Amino acid sequence: MALALNSFAENAVALQETAAPAGNGGPMIERGAAAALGIGLAAIGAGYAERAIGASVVGALAEDSISPGIGILLTVLPETLVIFALVALFVGP
């Protein structure tokens, strides 16, 4: 798998170097838009994960198989993705 990803990355770099720049040769998406897209996708992914985890936690709490503290921890764990995205936004170059 790592070899395939490395090969894919090398091909992408080779294509990028040989392609003629269109227009002024600037970035395809501006920094602010890229940051907003990254944070938005991280939030959507966290919400999608919380949907399944929340349903499982409610079921486990109904059966008294886990404590409420563990249920809350499991529910907020995917939100760390959004926190990491925000940290990358403010710490980035």
Side-chain angles (χ1 to χ4, degrees), residues 23-74:
N24 61 1
M28 295 189 71
I29 186 170
E30 295 194 22
R31 275 180 108 172
L37 185 64
I39 292 172
L41 289 175
I44 289 171
Y48 187 75
E50 284 182 17
R51 175 186 58 95
I53 293 171
S56 300
V57 165
V58 168
L61 286 173
E63 295 178 358
D64 291 333
S65 61
I66 63 171
S67 69
I70 293 174
I72 291 172
L73 178 68
L74 291 175

mmCIF file of all heavy atoms in Angstrom, residues 23-74:
data_model
loop_
_atom_site.group_PDB
_atom_site.id
_atom_site.type_symbol
_atom_site.label_atom_id
_atom_site.label_comp_id
_atom_site.label_asym_id
_atom_site.label_seq_id
_atom_site.Cartn_x
_atom_site.Cartn_y
_atom_site.Cartn_z
ATOM 1 N N GLY A 23 -3.016 30.765 -16.976
ATOM 2 C CA GLY A 23 -3.209 32.088 -16.384
ATOM 3 C C GLY A 23 -1.920 32.612 -15.781
ATOM 4 O O GLY A 23 -0.866 32.591 -16.402
ATOM 5 N N ASN A 24 -2.007 33.043 -14.543
ATOM 6 C CA ASN A 24 -0.841 33.624 -13.894
ATOM 7 C C ASN A 24 -0.021 32.600 -13.131
ATOM 8 O O ASN A 24 0.961 32.930 -12.512
ATOM 9 C CB ASN A 24 -1.277 34.760 -12.950
ATOM 10 C CG ASN A 24 -2.195 34.277 -11.850
ATOM 11 O OD1 ASN A 24 -2.506 33.094 -11.764
ATOM 12 N ND2 ASN A 24 -2.632 35.197 -11.010
ATOM 13 N N GLY A 25 -0.420 31.348 -13.111
ATOM 14 C CA GLY A 25 0.336 30.307 -12.433
ATOM 15 C C GLY A 25 0.174 30.308 -10.936
ATOM 16 O O GLY A 25 0.937 29.685 -10.226
ATOM 17 N N GLY A 26 -0.851 30.999 -10.414
ATOM 18 C CA GLY A 26 -1.080 31.049 -8.976
ATOM 19 C C GLY A 26 -1.806 29.808 -8.476
ATOM 20 O O GLY A 26 -2.077 28.875 -9.235
ATOM 21 N N PRO A 27 -2.102 29.774 -7.222
ATOM 22 C CA PRO A 27 -2.803 28.609 -6.667
ATOM 23 C C PRO A 27 -4.228 28.518 -7.205
ATOM 24 O O PRO A 27 -4.848 29.504 -7.560
ATOM 25 C CB PRO A 27 -2.802 28.878 -5.163
ATOM 26 C CG PRO A 27 -2.644 30.343 -5.033
ATOM 27 C CD PRO A 27 -1.839 30.788 -6.216
ATOM 28 N N MET A 28 -4.740 27.291 -7.242
ATOM 29 C CA MET A 28 -6.092 27.083 -7.748
ATOM 30 C C MET A 28 -7.142 27.523 -6.748
ATOM 31 O O MET A 28 -8.253 27.852 -7.122
ATOM 32 C CB MET A 28 -6.289 25.612 -8.107
ATOM 33 C CG MET A 28 -5.413 25.171 -9.253
ATOM 34 S SD MET A 28 -5.804 23.551 -9.842
ATOM 35 C CE MET A 28 -7.359 23.837 -10.622
ATOM 36 N N ILE A 29 -6.790 27.495 -5.471
ATOM 37 C CA ILE A 29 -7.722 27.905 -4.424
ATOM 38 C C ILE A 29 -6.940 28.762 -3.432
ATOM 39 O O ILE A 29 -5.784 28.461 -3.116
ATOM 40 C CB ILE A 29 -8.380 26.681 -3.749
ATOM 41 C CG1 ILE A 29 -9.449 27.083 -2.770
ATOM 42 C CG2 ILE A 29 -7.365 25.795 -3.093
ATOM 43 C CD1 ILE A 29 -10.286 25.919 -2.258
ATOM 44 N N GLU A 30 -7.553 29.816 -2.963
ATOM 45 C CA GLU A 30 -6.834 30.711 -2.065
ATOM 46 C C GLU A 30 -6.723 30.106 -0.671
ATOM 47 O O GLU A 30 -7.434 29.173 -0.322
ATOM 48 C CB GLU A 30 -7.555 32.052 -2.019
ATOM 49 C CG GLU A 30 -7.523 32.742 -3.364
ATOM 50 C CD GLU A 30 -7.929 34.182 -3.249
ATOM 51 O OE1 GLU A 30 -7.829 34.749 -2.148
ATOM 52 O OE2 GLU A 30 -8.335 34.730 -4.277
ATOM 53 N N ARG A 31 -5.827 30.667 0.133
ATOM 54 C CA ARG A 31 -5.546 30.107 1.467
ATOM 55 C C ARG A 31 -6.765 30.088 2.369
ATOM 56 O O ARG A 31 -7.022 29.108 3.050
ATOM 57 C CB ARG A 31 -4.447 30.910 2.150
ATOM 58 C CG ARG A 31 -3.080 30.471 1.786
ATOM 59 C CD ARG A 31 -2.101 31.310 2.508
ATOM 60 N NE ARG A 31 -1.483 30.509 3.534
ATOM 61 C CZ ARG A 31 -0.463 30.925 4.246
ATOM 62 N NH1 ARG A 31 0.000 32.132 4.074
ATOM 63 N NH2 ARG A 31 0.071 30.147 5.144
ATOM 64 N N GLY A 32 -7.498 31.172 2.396
ATOM 65 C CA GLY A 32 -8.671 31.236 3.267
ATOM 66 C C GLY A 32 -9.726 30.224 2.866
ATOM 67 O O GLY A 32 -10.347 29.581 3.722
ATOM 68 N N ALA A 33 -9.924 30.057 1.574
ATOM 69 C CA ALA A 33 -10.901 29.082 1.097
ATOM 70 C C ALA A 33 -10.440 27.660 1.394
ATOM 71 O O ALA A 33 -11.244 26.796 1.744
ATOM 72 C CB ALA A 33 -11.135 29.263 -0.392
ATOM 73 N N ALA A 34 -9.153 27.410 1.264
ATOM 74 C CA ALA A 34 -8.624 26.077 1.569
ATOM 75 C C ALA A 34 -8.773 25.759 3.052
ATOM 76 O O ALA A 34 -9.122 24.638 3.426
ATOM 77 C CB ALA A 34 -7.162 25.985 1.152
ATOM 78 N N ALA A 35 -8.524 26.743 3.899
ATOM 79 C CA ALA A 35 -8.682 26.537 5.341
ATOM 80 C C ALA A 35 -10.138 26.285 5.700
ATOM 81 O O ALA A 35 -10.451 25.389 6.490
ATOM 82 C CB ALA A 35 -8.148 27.739 6.101
ATOM 83 N N ALA A 36 -11.034 27.061 5.098
ATOM 84 C CA ALA A 36 -12.455 26.870 5.374
ATOM 85 C C ALA A 36 -12.927 25.502 4.890
ATOM 86 O O ALA A 36 -13.709 24.823 5.572
ATOM 87 C CB ALA A 36 -13.273 27.966 4.698
ATOM 88 N N LEU A 37 -12.432 25.077 3.745
ATOM 89 C CA LEU A 37 -12.799 23.763 3.213
ATOM 90 C C LEU A 37 -12.283 22.652 4.123
ATOM 91 O O LEU A 37 -13.002 21.693 4.421
ATOM 92 C CB LEU A 37 -12.226 23.610 1.808
ATOM 93 C CG LEU A 37 -12.601 22.357 1.050
ATOM 94 C CD1 LEU A 37 -14.098 22.323 0.798
ATOM 95 C CD2 LEU A 37 -11.843 22.295 -0.257
ATOM 96 N N GLY A 38 -11.051 22.771 4.592
ATOM 97 C CA GLY A 38 -10.484 21.752 5.473
ATOM 98 C C GLY A 38 -11.218 21.652 6.795
ATOM 99 O O GLY A 38 -11.518 20.552 7.271
ATOM 100 N N ILE A 39 -11.523 22.783 7.393
ATOM 101 C CA ILE A 39 -12.229 22.769 8.676
ATOM 102 C C ILE A 39 -13.657 22.277 8.486
ATOM 103 O O ILE A 39 -14.180 21.508 9.296
ATOM 104 C CB ILE A 39 -12.195 24.155 9.327
ATOM 105 C CG1 ILE A 39 -10.767 24.474 9.751
ATOM 106 C CG2 ILE A 39 -13.119 24.222 10.537
ATOM 107 C CD1 ILE A 39 -10.575 25.880 10.226
ATOM 108 N N GLY A 40 -14.293 22.676 7.406
ATOM 109 C CA GLY A 40 -15.660 22.214 7.141
ATOM 110 C C GLY A 40 -15.734 20.716 6.923
ATOM 111 O O GLY A 40 -16.632 20.044 7.449
ATOM 112 N N LEU A 41 -14.795 20.170 6.163
ATOM 113 C CA LEU A 41 -14.794 18.724 5.939
ATOM 114 C C LEU A 41 -14.469 17.961 7.230
ATOM 115 O O LEU A 41 -15.022 16.881 7.474
ATOM 116 C CB LEU A 41 -13.799 18.364 4.835
ATOM 117 C CG LEU A 41 -14.208 18.782 3.434
ATOM 118 C CD1 LEU A 41 -13.086 18.490 2.449
ATOM 119 C CD2 LEU A 41 -15.486 18.097 3.015
ATOM 120 N N ALA A 42 -13.600 18.517 8.064
ATOM 121 C CA ALA A 42 -13.308 17.877 9.349
ATOM 122 C C ALA A 42 -14.543 17.876 10.239
ATOM 123 O O ALA A 42 -14.825 16.890 10.924
ATOM 124 C CB ALA A 42 -12.162 18.593 10.048
ATOM 125 N N ALA A 43 -15.303 18.966 10.219
ATOM 126 C CA ALA A 43 -16.523 19.040 11.029
ATOM 127 C C ALA A 43 -17.584 18.074 10.517
ATOM 128 O O ALA A 43 -18.287 17.434 11.312
ATOM 129 C CB ALA A 43 -17.062 20.467 11.028
ATOM 130 N N ILE A 44 -17.701 17.944 9.204
ATOM 131 C CA ILE A 44 -18.671 16.993 8.645
ATOM 132 C C ILE A 44 -18.276 15.565 9.010
ATOM 133 O O ILE A 44 -19.127 14.745 9.382
ATOM 134 C CB ILE A 44 -18.779 17.170 7.117
ATOM 135 C CG1 ILE A 44 -19.489 18.483 6.803
ATOM 136 C CG2 ILE A 44 -19.510 16.001 6.474
ATOM 137 C CD1 ILE A 44 -19.461 18.854 5.341
ATOM 138 N N GLY A 45 -16.996 15.248 8.918
ATOM 139 C CA GLY A 45 -16.533 13.906 9.287
ATOM 140 C C GLY A 45 -16.756 13.607 10.763
ATOM 141 O O GLY A 45 -17.146 12.504 11.127
ATOM 142 N N ALA A 46 -16.522 14.606 11.617
ATOM 143 C CA ALA A 46 -16.741 14.411 13.055
ATOM 144 C C ALA A 46 -18.230 14.205 13.340
ATOM 145 O O ALA A 46 -18.608 13.357 14.157
ATOM 146 C CB ALA A 46 -16.215 15.599 13.832
ATOM 147 N N GLY A 47 -19.076 14.967 12.677
ATOM 148 C CA GLY A 47 -20.517 14.796 12.873
ATOM 149 C C GLY A 47 -20.994 13.441 12.404
ATOM 150 O O GLY A 47 -21.859 12.817 13.034
ATOM 151 N N TYR A 48 -20.446 12.960 11.304
ATOM 152 C CA TYR A 48 -20.822 11.641 10.794
ATOM 153 C C TYR A 48 -20.398 10.549 11.778
ATOM 154 O O TYR A 48 -21.136 9.596 12.011
ATOM 155 C CB TYR A 48 -20.161 11.433 9.430
ATOM 156 C CG TYR A 48 -20.596 10.183 8.737
ATOM 157 C CD1 TYR A 48 -21.841 10.090 8.150
ATOM 158 C CD2 TYR A 48 -19.745 9.086 8.647
ATOM 159 C CE1 TYR A 48 -22.242 8.941 7.504
ATOM 160 C CE2 TYR A 48 -20.128 7.937 8.010
ATOM 161 C CZ TYR A 48 -21.377 7.866 7.426
ATOM 162 O OH TYR A 48 -21.762 6.729 6.795
ATOM 163 N N ALA A 49 -19.217 10.694 12.362
ATOM 164 C CA ALA A 49 -18.750 9.700 13.340
ATOM 165 C C ALA A 49 -19.575 9.767 14.616
ATOM 166 O O ALA A 49 -19.894 8.728 15.208
ATOM 167 C CB ALA A 49 -17.278 9.932 13.646
ATOM 168 N N GLU A 50 -19.925 10.967 15.043
ATOM 169 C CA GLU A 50 -20.701 11.118 16.276
ATOM 170 C C GLU A 50 -22.101 10.533 16.151
ATOM 171 O O GLU A 50 -22.694 10.109 17.134
ATOM 172 C CB GLU A 50 -20.793 12.585 16.672
ATOM 173 C CG GLU A 50 -19.531 13.113 17.285
ATOM 174 C CD GLU A 50 -19.652 14.550 17.710
ATOM 175 O OE1 GLU A 50 -20.780 15.043 17.835
ATOM 176 O OE2 GLU A 50 -18.610 15.176 17.907
ATOM 177 N N ARG A 51 -22.628 10.510 14.940
ATOM 178 C CA ARG A 51 -23.958 9.948 14.724
ATOM 179 C C ARG A 51 -23.986 8.479 15.132
ATOM 180 O O ARG A 51 -24.851 8.049 15.893
ATOM 181 C CB ARG A 51 -24.331 10.091 13.250
ATOM 182 C CG ARG A 51 -25.632 9.456 12.871
ATOM 183 C CD ARG A 51 -25.826 9.536 11.374
ATOM 184 N NE ARG A 51 -24.759 8.893 10.635
ATOM 185 C CZ ARG A 51 -24.819 7.636 10.197
ATOM 186 N NH1 ARG A 51 -25.884 6.911 10.425
ATOM 187 N NH2 ARG A 51 -23.815 7.121 9.525
ATOM 188 N N ALA A 52 -23.035 7.708 14.658
ATOM 189 C CA ALA A 52 -22.998 6.285 14.972
ATOM 190 C C ALA A 52 -22.591 6.050 16.429
ATOM 191 O O ALA A 52 -23.154 5.178 17.104
ATOM 192 C CB ALA A 52 -22.031 5.581 14.030
ATOM 193 N N ILE A 53 -21.620 6.810 16.905
ATOM 194 C CA ILE A 53 -21.161 6.625 18.274
ATOM 195 C C ILE A 53 -22.262 7.002 19.261
ATOM 196 O O ILE A 53 -22.482 6.309 20.256
ATOM 197 C CB ILE A 53 -19.886 7.447 18.541
ATOM 198 C CG1 ILE A 53 -18.735 6.887 17.714
ATOM 199 C CG2 ILE A 53 -19.525 7.438 20.014
ATOM 200 C CD1 ILE A 53 -17.501 7.739 17.737
ATOM 201 N N GLY A 54 -22.966 8.088 18.991
ATOM 202 C CA GLY A 54 -24.039 8.518 19.887
ATOM 203 C C GLY A 54 -25.140 7.480 19.997
ATOM 204 O O GLY A 54 -25.647 7.204 21.092
ATOM 205 N N ALA A 55 -25.522 6.875 18.877
ATOM 206 C CA ALA A 55 -26.553 5.843 18.914
ATOM 207 C C ALA A 55 -26.078 4.628 19.709
ATOM 208 O O ALA A 55 -26.845 4.043 20.493
ATOM 209 C CB ALA A 55 -26.932 5.432 17.495
ATOM 210 N N SER A 56 -24.831 4.263 19.536
ATOM 211 C CA SER A 56 -24.291 3.112 20.278
ATOM 212 C C SER A 56 -24.207 3.399 21.777
ATOM 213 O O SER A 56 -24.492 2.529 22.600
ATOM 214 C CB SER A 56 -22.907 2.751 19.751
ATOM 215 O OG SER A 56 -22.964 2.429 18.399
ATOM 216 N N VAL A 57 -23.806 4.621 22.111
ATOM 217 C CA VAL A 57 -23.680 4.986 23.529
ATOM 218 C C VAL A 57 -25.053 5.000 24.201
ATOM 219 O O VAL A 57 -25.202 4.531 25.333
ATOM 220 C CB VAL A 57 -22.967 6.354 23.675
ATOM 221 C CG1 VAL A 57 -23.129 6.927 25.062
ATOM 222 C CG2 VAL A 57 -21.498 6.200 23.335
ATOM 223 N N VAL A 58 -26.057 5.527 23.515
ATOM 224 C CA VAL A 58 -27.404 5.544 24.098
ATOM 225 C C VAL A 58 -27.900 4.129 24.327
ATOM 226 O O VAL A 58 -28.491 3.814 25.376
ATOM 227 C CB VAL A 58 -28.374 6.340 23.187
ATOM 228 C CG1 VAL A 58 -29.812 6.125 23.593
ATOM 229 C CG2 VAL A 58 -28.028 7.810 23.234
ATOM 230 N N GLY A 59 -27.635 3.232 23.384
ATOM 231 C CA GLY A 59 -28.028 1.839 23.564
ATOM 232 C C GLY A 59 -27.299 1.170 24.715
ATOM 233 O O GLY A 59 -27.889 0.417 25.487
ATOM 234 N N ALA A 60 -26.001 1.450 24.836
ATOM 235 C CA ALA A 60 -25.223 0.858 25.925
ATOM 236 C C ALA A 60 -25.656 1.425 27.273
ATOM 237 O O ALA A 60 -25.690 0.706 28.276
ATOM 238 C CB ALA A 60 -23.740 1.098 25.694
ATOM 239 N N LEU A 61 -25.989 2.721 27.317
ATOM 240 C CA LEU A 61 -26.455 3.307 28.575
ATOM 241 C C LEU A 61 -27.822 2.748 28.963
ATOM 242 O O LEU A 61 -28.110 2.574 30.159
ATOM 243 C CB LEU A 61 -26.528 4.831 28.462
ATOM 244 C CG LEU A 61 -25.192 5.569 28.484
ATOM 245 C CD1 LEU A 61 -25.405 7.041 28.182
ATOM 246 C CD2 LEU A 61 -24.507 5.390 29.821
ATOM 247 N N ALA A 62 -28.656 2.455 27.984
ATOM 248 C CA ALA A 62 -29.968 1.884 28.284
ATOM 249 C C ALA A 62 -29.830 0.486 28.883
ATOM 250 O O ALA A 62 -30.658 0.085 29.705
ATOM 251 C CB ALA A 62 -30.821 1.833 27.023
ATOM 252 N N GLU A 63 -28.805 -0.226 28.483
ATOM 253 C CA GLU A 63 -28.581 -1.574 29.017
ATOM 254 C C GLU A 63 -27.680 -1.579 30.245
ATOM 255 O O GLU A 63 -27.356 -2.653 30.765
ATOM 256 C CB GLU A 63 -27.963 -2.450 27.938
ATOM 257 C CG GLU A 63 -28.885 -2.689 26.772
ATOM 258 C CD GLU A 63 -28.234 -3.528 25.696
ATOM 259 O OE1 GLU A 63 -27.046 -3.887 25.861
ATOM 260 O OE2 GLU A 63 -28.905 -3.824 24.705
ATOM 261 N N ASP A 64 -27.238 -0.405 30.694
ATOM 262 C CA ASP A 64 -26.349 -0.264 31.853
ATOM 263 C C ASP A 64 -25.038 -1.027 31.681
ATOM 264 O O ASP A 64 -24.492 -1.582 32.633
ATOM 265 C CB ASP A 64 -27.044 -0.734 33.146
ATOM 266 C CG ASP A 64 -28.152 0.198 33.563
ATOM 267 O OD1 ASP A 64 -28.064 1.388 33.213
ATOM 268 O OD2 ASP A 64 -29.099 -0.275 34.219
ATOM 269 N N SER A 65 -24.502 -1.056 30.464
ATOM 270 C CA SER A 65 -23.240 -1.763 30.249
ATOM 271 C C SER A 65 -22.023 -0.838 30.307
ATOM 272 O O SER A 65 -20.903 -1.323 30.414
ATOM 273 C CB SER A 65 -23.264 -2.509 28.914
ATOM 274 O OG SER A 65 -23.444 -1.607 27.856
ATOM 275 N N ILE A 66 -22.223 0.492 30.239
ATOM 276 C CA ILE A 66 -21.111 1.432 30.395
ATOM 277 C C ILE A 66 -21.558 2.570 31.302
ATOM 278 O O ILE A 66 -22.749 2.793 31.510
ATOM 279 C CB ILE A 66 -20.613 2.010 29.049
ATOM 280 C CG1 ILE A 66 -21.706 2.825 28.355
ATOM 281 C CG2 ILE A 66 -20.089 0.931 28.144
ATOM 282 C CD1 ILE A 66 -21.202 3.595 27.153
ATOM 283 N N SER A 67 -20.561 3.282 31.823
ATOM 284 C CA SER A 67 -20.888 4.423 32.677
ATOM 285 C C SER A 67 -21.134 5.661 31.805
ATOM 286 O O SER A 67 -20.656 5.739 30.676
ATOM 287 C CB SER A 67 -19.737 4.691 33.651
ATOM 288 O OG SER A 67 -18.621 5.181 32.958
ATOM 289 N N PRO A 68 -21.861 6.640 32.315
ATOM 290 C CA PRO A 68 -22.122 7.851 31.524
ATOM 291 C C PRO A 68 -20.853 8.619 31.165
ATOM 292 O O PRO A 68 -20.787 9.236 30.104
ATOM 293 C CB PRO A 68 -23.022 8.682 32.435
ATOM 294 C CG PRO A 68 -23.649 7.712 33.354
ATOM 295 C CD PRO A 68 -22.650 6.624 33.544
ATOM 296 N N GLY A 69 -19.848 8.595 32.027
ATOM 297 C CA GLY A 69 -18.602 9.304 31.735
ATOM 298 C C GLY A 69 -17.894 8.746 30.507
ATOM 299 O O GLY A 69 -17.390 9.496 29.670
ATOM 300 N N ILE A 70 -17.857 7.426 30.397
ATOM 301 C CA ILE A 70 -17.246 6.804 29.225
ATOM 302 C C ILE A 70 -18.068 7.125 27.978
ATOM 303 O O ILE A 70 -17.519 7.371 26.901
ATOM 304 C CB ILE A 70 -17.109 5.286 29.434
ATOM 305 C CG1 ILE A 70 -16.089 5.011 30.532
ATOM 306 C CG2 ILE A 70 -16.695 4.585 28.149
ATOM 307 C CD1 ILE A 70 -15.969 3.557 30.917
ATOM 308 N N GLY A 71 -19.379 7.152 28.125
ATOM 309 C CA GLY A 71 -20.243 7.496 26.995
ATOM 310 C C GLY A 71 -19.996 8.911 26.489
ATOM 311 O O GLY A 71 -19.931 9.151 25.283
ATOM 312 N N ILE A 72 -19.828 9.846 27.408
ATOM 313 C CA ILE A 72 -19.545 11.229 27.009
ATOM 314 C C ILE A 72 -18.176 11.310 26.351
ATOM 315 O O ILE A 72 -18.002 11.991 25.338
ATOM 316 C CB ILE A 72 -19.637 12.166 28.229
ATOM 317 C CG1 ILE A 72 -21.090 12.264 28.698
ATOM 318 C CG2 ILE A 72 -19.079 13.542 27.898
ATOM 319 C CD1 ILE A 72 -21.260 12.997 30.001
ATOM 320 N N LEU A 73 -17.188 10.622 26.900
ATOM 321 C CA LEU A 73 -15.844 10.629 26.318
ATOM 322 C C LEU A 73 -15.863 10.073 24.902
ATOM 323 O O LEU A 73 -15.253 10.647 23.992
ATOM 324 C CB LEU A 73 -14.886 9.822 27.191
ATOM 325 C CG LEU A 73 -13.454 9.711 26.674
ATOM 326 C CD1 LEU A 73 -12.786 11.068 26.738
ATOM 327 C CD2 LEU A 73 -12.686 8.691 27.450
ATOM 328 N N LEU A 74 -16.551 8.972 24.683
ATOM 329 C CA LEU A 74 -16.617 8.392 23.347
ATOM 330 C C LEU A 74 -17.362 9.293 22.369
ATOM 331 O O LEU A 74 -17.060 9.317 21.181
ATOM 332 C CB LEU A 74 -17.290 7.016 23.404
ATOM 333 C CG LEU A 74 -16.496 5.908 24.094
ATOM 334 C CD1 LEU A 74 -17.335 4.648 24.192
ATOM 335 C CD2 LEU A 74 -15.205 5.636 23.353
#
